[in-house]
Amino acid sequence: MVMRRYIFSGITAVMLLVPLSGGALDSEAVMNRGAEVVDYFMNAYPDVGATSNVGGKVRNSKIWTRSVFYEGLLNMWREDPRPEWLDYTVSWGEFHKWVSSSDTEAKAHNADYQCCGQSYLQLYQLDPTRTERMAHIKMRIDDMMATERVNFWTWVDAIQMSMPVMALLGDITGNESYWTRMYELYAYTRNQQGGSKKGGGSPLFNTGTGLWYRDYQFDPPYKDLTEPTADCYWSRGNGWVYMALVRVMQFTPESESHRAEYESDFKAMSEALLGCQRTDGSWNVSLAAPTNFGSPGSEGPEMTGTSLFVGGMAWGVLTGLLDAATYMPAIERGWEAMDAAVRSDGSVGYLQGTGSKPEDGGPITYDSAPDFEDFGIGCWLWGAAEVHALAMSQAAESSVTAPVVAPVETEVLYDLLGRPVANPHPGELYIRPGVGVIIR
């Protein structure tokens, strides 16, 4: 049995590597491609503290868009711990003095300003003497937990931005109240956040389809704008939840009381997503409407959702939650699409910009530049890292099983005087220990 252990979790997270089909994933090729993308980003954004100026607004580099990039980078670093990748991430945290949100930003406990805490906490796990890396985000989450509110995550993106932070705090501190409260917030968003208004009592997760509405505005009777007979399931919104479920399960033990529910939702989403994949391996911006490519001029593929789906499926197969024979073809095609989206300079095409629905953040083309590319590249890197982990497991499984041939050929036989025989001959008597006299 081959084992794999995740670096960042204090929980012993051992994964059984199951035999895989296909063998089309090349771990070295995946890592080389990922390194090209990282190099592009680090060269394009050498100043980790530089603000973003989009739509007349100035946004600091610790808000959710940049934080998702570091989630992806640390996932790649887990697979290949290159010092320059870690230094780039630590420099970002140090620039912000490990602060997650200002007092003004924290008033509504907005998940957009909590997302950076995921990387802060993972870096704390690497060096627990650096308590400043955990102190501020823990204080913000503790303040949120001290309230009686459960409707903090009013849109599904927030599940990814905040939920893994709480999972990590439970892992680090051993305080299960983080996991309990995390589940309460997730369950409310899942089951009661939608409807005619926020918190209107309708679920954002459609258990019948295995897919999520982005927020209450997209619950029925809202329909896809291109195919008005189809519900609107935004690709990246579902990707955020899918990614969050993986990260939560990575940072919580199998004994966590709600683990089975997370696994169930993950499997339901996986099955639904499998049925939405395009023949080219990618996914559309609108999962239930195959002809909806987004805003005018868009070409079809969309990489933020695609990367999160491929990465989540790869993790599911790696851990045995998903059947390899069923999901490996989708993963292999998905990786081919991700690989093909990387341009010659290492940037990634087909990235949808910021928004909340299929028609936002476009046009989405191979050559288009989104308003923010940091989170899109972060999604791509996160997915690539999980594909790399799976590819490594394929190679490890092959190396374990290949040499196992006819063990009888390597047994030691003895003649009747008890002497080992290097070359036994057919038709002669020999002694096999524990068996007695045999005819060879």
Side-chain angles (χ1 to χ4, degrees), residues 229-243:
T229 60
D231 283 349
C232 181
Y233 299 110
W234 180 41
S235 179
R236 188 167 67 237
N238 278 268
W240 288 138
V241 180
Y242 201 53
M243 178 189 191

PDB file of all heavy atoms in Angstrom, residues 229-243:
ATOM      1  N   THR A 229     -35.246  27.490 -20.316  1.00  0.00           N
ATOM      2  CA  THR A 229     -35.874  26.324 -19.691  1.00  0.00           C
ATOM      3  C   THR A 229     -34.950  25.704 -18.639  1.00  0.00           C
ATOM      4  O   THR A 229     -35.362  24.778 -17.931  1.00  0.00           O
ATOM      5  CB  THR A 229     -36.203  25.255 -20.742  1.00  0.00           C
ATOM      6  OG1 THR A 229     -35.004  24.836 -21.391  1.00  0.00           O
ATOM      7  CG2 THR A 229     -37.189  25.805 -21.767  1.00  0.00           C
ATOM      8  N   ALA A 230     -33.712  26.200 -18.535  1.00  0.00           N
ATOM      9  CA  ALA A 230     -32.718  25.626 -17.620  1.00  0.00           C
ATOM     10  C   ALA A 230     -32.513  26.529 -16.413  1.00  0.00           C
ATOM     11  O   ALA A 230     -32.563  27.756 -16.515  1.00  0.00           O
ATOM     12  CB  ALA A 230     -31.390  25.414 -18.346  1.00  0.00           C
ATOM     13  N   ASP A 231     -32.277  25.918 -15.269  1.00  0.00           N
ATOM     14  CA  ASP A 231     -31.889  26.683 -14.095  1.00  0.00           C
ATOM     15  C   ASP A 231     -30.487  27.259 -14.300  1.00  0.00           C
ATOM     16  O   ASP A 231     -29.721  26.793 -15.155  1.00  0.00           O
ATOM     17  CB  ASP A 231     -31.885  25.796 -12.845  1.00  0.00           C
ATOM     18  CG  ASP A 231     -33.289  25.524 -12.329  1.00  0.00           C
ATOM     19  OD1 ASP A 231     -34.237  26.175 -12.798  1.00  0.00           O
ATOM     20  OD2 ASP A 231     -33.431  24.641 -11.455  1.00  0.00           O
ATOM     21  N   CYS A 232     -30.154  28.265 -13.518  1.00  0.00           N
ATOM     22  CA  CYS A 232     -28.849  28.913 -13.639  1.00  0.00           C
ATOM     23  C   CYS A 232     -27.926  28.423 -12.528  1.00  0.00           C
ATOM     24  O   CYS A 232     -28.107  28.763 -11.350  1.00  0.00           O
ATOM     25  CB  CYS A 232     -28.990  30.433 -13.565  1.00  0.00           C
ATOM     26  SG  CYS A 232     -27.418  31.307 -13.731  1.00  0.00           S
ATOM     27  N   TYR A 233     -26.957  27.601 -12.909  1.00  0.00           N
ATOM     28  CA  TYR A 233     -25.927  27.137 -11.976  1.00  0.00           C
ATOM     29  C   TYR A 233     -24.589  27.674 -12.488  1.00  0.00           C
ATOM     30  O   TYR A 233     -24.017  27.147 -13.442  1.00  0.00           O
ATOM     31  CB  TYR A 233     -25.886  25.611 -11.919  1.00  0.00           C
ATOM     32  CG  TYR A 233     -27.177  24.973 -11.456  1.00  0.00           C
ATOM     33  CD1 TYR A 233     -27.969  24.257 -12.344  1.00  0.00           C
ATOM     34  CD2 TYR A 233     -27.590  25.083 -10.139  1.00  0.00           C
ATOM     35  CE1 TYR A 233     -29.148  23.660 -11.933  1.00  0.00           C
ATOM     36  CE2 TYR A 233     -28.776  24.500  -9.710  1.00  0.00           C
ATOM     37  CZ  TYR A 233     -29.550  23.781 -10.615  1.00  0.00           C
ATOM     38  OH  TYR A 233     -30.722  23.196 -10.194  1.00  0.00           O
ATOM     39  N   TRP A 234     -24.115  28.725 -11.842  1.00  0.00           N
ATOM     40  CA  TRP A 234     -22.877  29.377 -12.278  1.00  0.00           C
ATOM     41  C   TRP A 234     -21.694  28.466 -11.989  1.00  0.00           C
ATOM     42  O   TRP A 234     -21.536  27.941 -10.888  1.00  0.00           O
ATOM     43  CB  TRP A 234     -22.755  30.708 -11.553  1.00  0.00           C
ATOM     44  CG  TRP A 234     -21.544  31.508 -11.895  1.00  0.00           C
ATOM     45  CD1 TRP A 234     -20.990  31.681 -13.128  1.00  0.00           C
ATOM     46  CD2 TRP A 234     -20.759  32.266 -10.984  1.00  0.00           C
ATOM     47  NE1 TRP A 234     -19.899  32.504 -13.042  1.00  0.00           N
ATOM     48  CE2 TRP A 234     -19.734  32.878 -11.740  1.00  0.00           C
ATOM     49  CE3 TRP A 234     -20.816  32.495  -9.606  1.00  0.00           C
ATOM     50  CZ2 TRP A 234     -18.765  33.705 -11.150  1.00  0.00           C
ATOM     51  CZ3 TRP A 234     -19.869  33.313  -9.022  1.00  0.00           C
ATOM     52  CH2 TRP A 234     -18.856  33.913  -9.787  1.00  0.00           C
ATOM     53  N   SER A 235     -20.848  28.300 -12.986  1.00  0.00           N
ATOM     54  CA  SER A 235     -19.742  27.357 -12.883  1.00  0.00           C
ATOM     55  C   SER A 235     -18.812  27.674 -11.706  1.00  0.00           C
ATOM     56  O   SER A 235     -18.573  26.827 -10.845  1.00  0.00           O
ATOM     57  CB  SER A 235     -18.956  27.346 -14.199  1.00  0.00           C
ATOM     58  OG  SER A 235     -17.866  26.467 -14.138  1.00  0.00           O
ATOM     59  N   ARG A 236     -18.266  28.887 -11.687  1.00  0.00           N
ATOM     60  CA  ARG A 236     -17.285  29.182 -10.633  1.00  0.00           C
ATOM     61  C   ARG A 236     -17.917  29.154  -9.247  1.00  0.00           C
ATOM     62  O   ARG A 236     -17.271  28.766  -8.272  1.00  0.00           O
ATOM     63  CB  ARG A 236     -16.589  30.516 -10.887  1.00  0.00           C
ATOM     64  CG  ARG A 236     -15.437  30.743  -9.898  1.00  0.00           C
ATOM     65  CD  ARG A 236     -14.516  31.878 -10.292  1.00  0.00           C
ATOM     66  NE  ARG A 236     -15.120  33.184 -10.235  1.00  0.00           N
ATOM     67  CZ  ARG A 236     -15.192  34.025 -11.253  1.00  0.00           C
ATOM     68  NH1 ARG A 236     -14.755  33.678 -12.449  1.00  0.00           N
ATOM     69  NH2 ARG A 236     -15.745  35.217 -11.110  1.00  0.00           N
ATOM     70  N   GLY A 237     -19.177  29.562  -9.140  1.00  0.00           N
ATOM     71  CA  GLY A 237     -19.834  29.482  -7.836  1.00  0.00           C
ATOM     72  C   GLY A 237     -19.862  28.061  -7.316  1.00  0.00           C
ATOM     73  O   GLY A 237     -19.605  27.801  -6.141  1.00  0.00           O
ATOM     74  N   ASN A 238     -20.174  27.116  -8.198  1.00  0.00           N
ATOM     75  CA  ASN A 238     -20.127  25.714  -7.800  1.00  0.00           C
ATOM     76  C   ASN A 238     -18.690  25.270  -7.543  1.00  0.00           C
ATOM     77  O   ASN A 238     -18.434  24.459  -6.653  1.00  0.00           O
ATOM     78  CB  ASN A 238     -20.777  24.847  -8.879  1.00  0.00           C
ATOM     79  CG  ASN A 238     -22.283  24.818  -8.769  1.00  0.00           C
ATOM     80  OD1 ASN A 238     -22.864  23.955  -8.124  1.00  0.00           O
ATOM     81  ND2 ASN A 238     -22.946  25.796  -9.383  1.00  0.00           N
ATOM     82  N   GLY A 239     -17.753  25.823  -8.313  1.00  0.00           N
ATOM     83  CA  GLY A 239     -16.352  25.504  -8.074  1.00  0.00           C
ATOM     84  C   GLY A 239     -15.873  25.935  -6.706  1.00  0.00           C
ATOM     85  O   GLY A 239     -15.112  25.228  -6.043  1.00  0.00           O
ATOM     86  N   TRP A 240     -16.344  27.093  -6.258  1.00  0.00           N
ATOM     87  CA  TRP A 240     -15.946  27.553  -4.921  1.00  0.00           C
ATOM     88  C   TRP A 240     -16.391  26.559  -3.845  1.00  0.00           C
ATOM     89  O   TRP A 240     -15.625  26.239  -2.930  1.00  0.00           O
ATOM     90  CB  TRP A 240     -16.561  28.919  -4.628  1.00  0.00           C
ATOM     91  CG  TRP A 240     -16.008  30.100  -5.361  1.00  0.00           C
ATOM     92  CD1 TRP A 240     -16.733  31.124  -5.904  1.00  0.00           C
ATOM     93  CD2 TRP A 240     -14.625  30.430  -5.608  1.00  0.00           C
ATOM     94  NE1 TRP A 240     -15.902  32.059  -6.481  1.00  0.00           N
ATOM     95  CE2 TRP A 240     -14.596  31.655  -6.307  1.00  0.00           C
ATOM     96  CE3 TRP A 240     -13.416  29.807  -5.311  1.00  0.00           C
ATOM     97  CZ2 TRP A 240     -13.413  32.275  -6.712  1.00  0.00           C
ATOM     98  CZ3 TRP A 240     -12.224  30.415  -5.725  1.00  0.00           C
ATOM     99  CH2 TRP A 240     -12.231  31.629  -6.412  1.00  0.00           C
ATOM    100  N   VAL A 241     -17.627  26.091  -3.940  1.00  0.00           N
ATOM    101  CA  VAL A 241     -18.118  25.150  -2.934  1.00  0.00           C
ATOM    102  C   VAL A 241     -17.350  23.827  -3.017  1.00  0.00           C
ATOM    103  O   VAL A 241     -16.972  23.244  -1.995  1.00  0.00           O
ATOM    104  CB  VAL A 241     -19.632  24.903  -3.093  1.00  0.00           C
ATOM    105  CG1 VAL A 241     -20.121  23.913  -2.038  1.00  0.00           C
ATOM    106  CG2 VAL A 241     -20.414  26.204  -3.000  1.00  0.00           C
ATOM    107  N   TYR A 242     -17.122  23.370  -4.225  1.00  0.00           N
ATOM    108  CA  TYR A 242     -16.411  22.101  -4.447  1.00  0.00           C
ATOM    109  C   TYR A 242     -15.008  22.170  -3.859  1.00  0.00           C
ATOM    110  O   TYR A 242     -14.556  21.264  -3.150  1.00  0.00           O
ATOM    111  CB  TYR A 242     -16.363  21.848  -5.944  1.00  0.00           C
ATOM    112  CG  TYR A 242     -16.143  20.411  -6.371  1.00  0.00           C
ATOM    113  CD1 TYR A 242     -16.949  19.381  -5.909  1.00  0.00           C
ATOM    114  CD2 TYR A 242     -15.137  20.099  -7.289  1.00  0.00           C
ATOM    115  CE1 TYR A 242     -16.768  18.078  -6.347  1.00  0.00           C
ATOM    116  CE2 TYR A 242     -14.951  18.807  -7.729  1.00  0.00           C
ATOM    117  CZ  TYR A 242     -15.766  17.792  -7.251  1.00  0.00           C
ATOM    118  OH  TYR A 242     -15.574  16.497  -7.692  1.00  0.00           O
ATOM    119  N   MET A 243     -14.314  23.261  -4.133  1.00  0.00           N
ATOM    120  CA  MET A 243     -12.979  23.480  -3.574  1.00  0.00           C
ATOM    121  C   MET A 243     -13.027  23.536  -2.050  1.00  0.00           C
ATOM    122  O   MET A 243     -12.180  22.950  -1.360  1.00  0.00           O
ATOM    123  CB  MET A 243     -12.414  24.782  -4.129  1.00  0.00           C
ATOM    124  CG  MET A 243     -11.035  25.185  -3.616  1.00  0.00           C
ATOM    125  SD  MET A 243     -10.656  26.874  -4.182  1.00  0.00           S
ATOM    126  CE  MET A 243      -8.917  27.009  -3.763  1.00  0.00           C
TER     127      MET A 243
END
